């Protein structure tokens, strides 16, 4: 860990060592000094990357580190997983994988091989196109930093997506009779998630939004949707700091039926968790309620 000390001029100093050399960074507070040190490390790494023609895998790690404070952890986790799939694809005749290739050596033909082999692995055309789109952004950032001279993904056509558009798939709302039958089935087996499903049906909330609700999100007139349950980079479920989209922040009016659902859920929490809960709609075993739990509950009662 970098050493921090306070100087005679009341500034804080952080000493870091990079590639055998020592650097001093300063700030008016400990946090400022640490941020200055982080910026210096980033600058040094970028300079090293520019000089050394790193492997695709090494530069992707650097690319990820630079985005950690700008992109949701769940997004980074997903993108890393996608990249790891691409990194293992063998591209060259001598068995070199995409991740092992040097940044300046990647040519459009290599991207076409990557595209074809991802498809051969059974990925849908839509998924392959998403993977290549991410690589196009990755290489674009590398050209901005002057790590490479051009983007090898430019001019690569998307695979033809022959899956049916979402708008052509058949969707319909449940009839009133079907809704009644469904909730009767929940009651008959005394489902723990009856009130959670009732709130979803009454409000149209996403499961993640409902799972993230805490008491301070609710007043006499509204349910205030301000955040959603999400996943960090390491895959852990956490309460997000915002809604899934900008428009996702909204206020849902509370009528008598919703007020009753909330009251019944609070009573259930008191019965199951006498020491209290972090969220208003926890899982039966405690902790956060996940969307796949609700999915299983729905499938069970629709069989």
């Amino acid at each position: 860990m970098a050493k921090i000390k306070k100087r005679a001029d009341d500034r804080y100093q952080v000493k870091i060592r990079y590639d055998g050399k020592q650097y001093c960074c300063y700030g008016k507070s400990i946090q400022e000094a640490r941020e200055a040190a982080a910026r210096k490390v980033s600058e040094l790494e970028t300079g090293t990357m520019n000089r050394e023609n790193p492997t695709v895998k090494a530069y992707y790690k650097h690319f990820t580190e630079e985005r950690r404070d700008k992109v949701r952890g769940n997004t980074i986790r997903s993108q890393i997983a996608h990249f790891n799939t691409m990194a293992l694809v063998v591209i060259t005749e001598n068995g070199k994988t995409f991740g092992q290739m040097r940044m300046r050596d990647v040519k459009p033909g290599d991207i076409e091989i990557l595209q074809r082999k991802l498809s051969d692995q059974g990925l849908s055309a839509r998924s392959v196109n998403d993977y290549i789109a991410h690589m196009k952004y990755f290489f674009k950032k590398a050209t901005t930093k002057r790590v490479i001279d051009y983007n090898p993904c430019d001019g690569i056509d998307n695979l033809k997506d022959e899956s049916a558009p979402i708008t052509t798939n058949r969707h319909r709302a449940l009839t009133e009779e079907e809704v009644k039958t469904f909730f009767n089935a929940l009651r008959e087996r005394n489902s723990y998630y009856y009130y959670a499903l009732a709130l979803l049906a009454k409000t149209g909330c996403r499961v993640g939004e409902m799972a993230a609700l805490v008491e301070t999100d609710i007043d006499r007139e509204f349910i205030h949707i301000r955040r959603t349950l999400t996943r960090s980079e390491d895959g852990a479920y956490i309460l997000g700091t915002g809604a899934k989209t900008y428009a996702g922040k909204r206020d849902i009016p509370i009528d008598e039926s919703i007020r009753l659902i909330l009251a019944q859920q609070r009573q259930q929490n008191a019965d199951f968790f006498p020491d209290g809960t972090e969220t208003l709609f926890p899982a039966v075993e405690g902790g956060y309620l996940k969307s796949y739990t609700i999915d299983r509950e729905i499938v069970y009662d629709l069989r």
Side-chain angles (χ1 to χ4, degrees):
M1 182 177 291
K3 294 182 178 179
I4 302 175
K5 73 173 185 178
K6 193 170 185 179
R7 292 162 44 95
D9 60 3
D10 285 336
R11 289 191 303 165
Y12 289 88
Q13 173 184 288
V14 176
K15 289 184 178 181
I16 59 172
R17 185 169 291 278
Y18 184 87
D19 199 20
K21 296 181 180 179
Q22 184 170 277
Y23 300 87
C24 294
C25 305
Y26 306 95
K28 295 179 181 178
S29 65
I30 293 176
Q31 183 62 27
E32 268 191 22
R34 284 175 173 165
E35 290 172 355
R39 287 195 299 272
K40 186 64 177 178
V41 169
S42 179
E43 291 170 5
L44 292 167
E45 286 181 344
T46 298
T48 300
M49 293 294 179
N50 288 340
R51 293 192 303 272
E52 294 183 353
N53 187 22
T55 64
V56 172
K57 186 173 182 179
Y59 194 74
Y60 190 84
K61 182 179 179 181
H62 172 72
F63 164 79
T64 299
E65 290 298 327
E66 287 196 324
R67 301 168 70 230
R68 287 192 190 279
D69 295 333
K70 305 170 186 175
V71 181
R72 290 176 185 269
N74 193 29
T75 300
I76 286 187
R77 181 185 61 83
S78 176
Q79 290 176 344
I80 289 175
H82 293 168
F83 174 77
N84 287 342
T85 297
M86 292 185 280
L88 295 175
V89 174
V90 175
I91 301 296
T92 66
E93 292 183 358
N94 62 1
K96 186 173 288 187
T97 64
F98 180 61
Q100 292 171 333
M101 294 188 72
R102 297 286 175 178
M103 289 289 290
R104 294 176 196 146
D105 296 339
V106 179
K107 303 295 188 291
D110 300 318
I111 301 299
E112 290 176 342
I113 292 172
L114 175 65
Q115 186 183 52
R116 184 179 70 251
K117 289 195 173 183
L118 287 172
S119 181
D120 291 344
Q121 289 180 13
L123 292 175
S124 68
R126 185 175 300 170
S127 293
V128 173
N129 292 341
D130 287 344
Y131 281 34
I132 299 301
H134 182 50
M135 284 297 93
K136 186 172 185 178
Y137 178 74
F138 164 68
F139 283 112
K140 178 182 178 181
K141 287 296 184 183
T143 61
T144 302
K145 296 292 183 68
R146 301 294 188 265
V147 174
I148 55 177
D149 297 325
Y150 72 98
N151 189 335
C153 294
D154 284 345
I156 302 297
D157 295 328
N158 281 340
L159 297 180
K160 185 177 180 181
D161 184 5
E162 297 181 346
S163 60
I166 293 175
T167 53
T168 65
N169 293 334
R170 186 167 179 254
H171 299 277
R172 69 172 180 84
L174 296 178
T175 65
E176 289 187 17
E177 189 60 34
E178 287 170 333
V179 171
K180 188 181 298 184
T181 299
F182 173 70
F183 279 98
N184 283 341
L186 288 172
R187 278 202 181 282
E188 285 175 7
R189 67 182 184 86
N190 197 28
S191 171
Y192 170 85
Y193 297 108
Y194 180 93
Y195 306 119
L197 285 157
L199 188 80
L200 293 175
K202 285 286 185 181
T203 64
C205 282
R206 297 183 177 93
V207 175
E209 293 171 341
M210 177 188 69
L213 287 175
V214 297
E215 282 292 352
T216 54
D217 294 324
I218 299 169
D219 56 33
R220 289 185 58 82
E221 297 183 357
F222 295 100
I223 296 174
H224 303 284
I225 304 297
R226 295 293 179 266
R227 72 190 70 79
T228 189
L229 189 68
T230 186
R231 297 180 77 176
S232 64
E233 185 181 334
D234 62 6
Y237 284 89
I238 59 173
L239 293 184
T241 57
K244 187 172 183 179
T245 64
Y246 178 79
K249 286 190 175 183
R250 61 199 186 280
D251 298 327
I252 299 174
I254 296 176
D255 61 18
E256 286 306 314
S257 62
I258 294 175
R259 186 169 286 109
L260 178 60
I261 291 169
L262 294 172
Q264 291 169 322
Q265 179 64 32
R266 290 184 179 107
Q267 182 57 56
Q268 178 170 275
N269 287 346
D271 294 338
F272 276 76
F273 308 103
D275 294 331
T277 62
E278 180 183 2
T279 57
L280 186 56
F281 289 89
V284 66
E285 67 276 10
Y288 299 131
L289 175 58
K290 321 298 194 307
S291 59
Y292 59 76
T293 302
I294 291 296
D295 290 343
R296 284 202 305 265
E297 199 76 359
I298 292 172
V299 170
Y300 183 97
D301 282 289
L302 289 179
R303 284 183 301 184

